[in-house]
Amino acid sequence: NEELKRLATTDSLSGALNRGAILSILDEEIRRASRYGHELAVVLFDLDHFKLVNDIHGHAAGDETIRRFSEICKRSFRGTDSFGRYGGEEFLAVLPESTAQGALDAAERARQAMAAERFSPTLVSPKESGDFAATASAGVAAWEAGLDADQLLARADNALYRAKTRGRNRVEAHGQGETRRGSPEDLEG
């Protein structure tokens, strides 16, 4: 039964929690934070220019990039935090008992570690020779009383959008120099 549960809640490529599992944890942590007045923060990550990784280095290199980013994030967050694949090349971290600053610090550790990684497409794809780097951008939001999961994620998504518009490979937090969000086509990857 435990193995079936693990398979049902794990993303097979990244090894992180799948979307349903991470969103279920977020809902539970919001209920807990609301009931007990605890702090809670989330980090929404997006791999920068991921389509180019697949186009230039091949899908096997893209898969390896997703796997390694997941491993980096698991090491960058506390054991009490939860991390899952939100969709495609997006990931969500749920940090109970964490302030926005704590989430910023953890996201920055993961961002820096990812930027330092080197990938060898010759090991996973014959399309391109030579090492390449991949980076990630992140948006952080802290829960406030009355916010539901969608509202909290929208705040993190707006912060992520700001990180993308300000050059990528960076971490932004909700409330830091808010900007209006353009159309999704404005920023592919």
Side-chain angles (χ1 to χ4, degrees):
N1 283 342
E2 285 298 315
E3 180 63 13
L4 289 175
K5 181 180 177 185
R6 187 191 65 76
L7 290 171
T9 60
T10 303
D11 175 69
S12 61
L13 176 60
S14 67
L17 293 170
N18 64 26
R19 181 183 177 97
I22 193 68
L23 290 177
S24 178
I25 288 170
L26 176 59
D27 286 338
E28 179 61 32
E29 291 300 340
I30 287 174
R31 282 191 294 276
R32 185 175 291 127
S34 180
R35 181 173 183 180
Y36 298 110
H38 293 177
E39 293 180 304
L40 172 65
V42 297
V43 181
L44 190 59
F45 287 99
D46 187 64
L47 295 174
D48 298 325
H49 301 293
F50 187 71
K51 184 179 182 320
L52 289 177
V53 172
N54 281 332
D55 290 350
I56 294 170
H57 304 290
H59 289 278
D63 289 353
E64 181 62 18
T65 302
I66 285 173
R67 277 191 290 276
R68 299 236 316 257
F69 181 67
S70 180
E71 291 168 8
I72 285 167
C73 285
K74 288 175 188 175
R75 290 192 308 265
S76 298
F77 291 97
R78 304 168 302 178
T80 56
D81 300 332
S82 298
F83 180 76
R85 190 169 179 196
Y86 190 60
E89 65 273 7
E90 288 189 326
F91 294 85
L92 175 63
V94 177
L95 293 79
E97 303 288 339
S98 180
T99 63
Q101 187 59 55
L104 277 166
D105 293 344
E108 182 60 20
R109 279 192 305 274
R111 186 206 62 77
Q112 287 178 7
M114 183 63 174
E117 283 285 301
R118 292 296 171 262
F119 298 86
S120 290
T122 53
L123 298 177
V124 293
S125 172
K127 280 179 101 171
E128 180 78 17
S129 61
D131 290 352
F132 70 95
T135 60
S137 297
V140 171
W143 178 80
E144 296 173 10
L147 288 181
D148 65 21
D150 290 338
Q151 293 165 322
L152 181 58
L153 290 171
R155 287 181 173 191
D157 189 50
N158 285 333
L160 172 60
Y161 177 80
R162 234 181 8 268
K164 294 282 195 177
T165 61
R166 292 181 175 172
R168 293 179 172 82
N169 191 26
R170 59 184 295 131
V171 178
E172 294 281 338
H174 170 75
Q176 293 178 328
E178 296 295 319
T179 58
R180 294 186 145 249
R181 183 171 184 151
S183 70
E185 294 79 33
D186 292 343
L187 285 176
E188 190 67 30

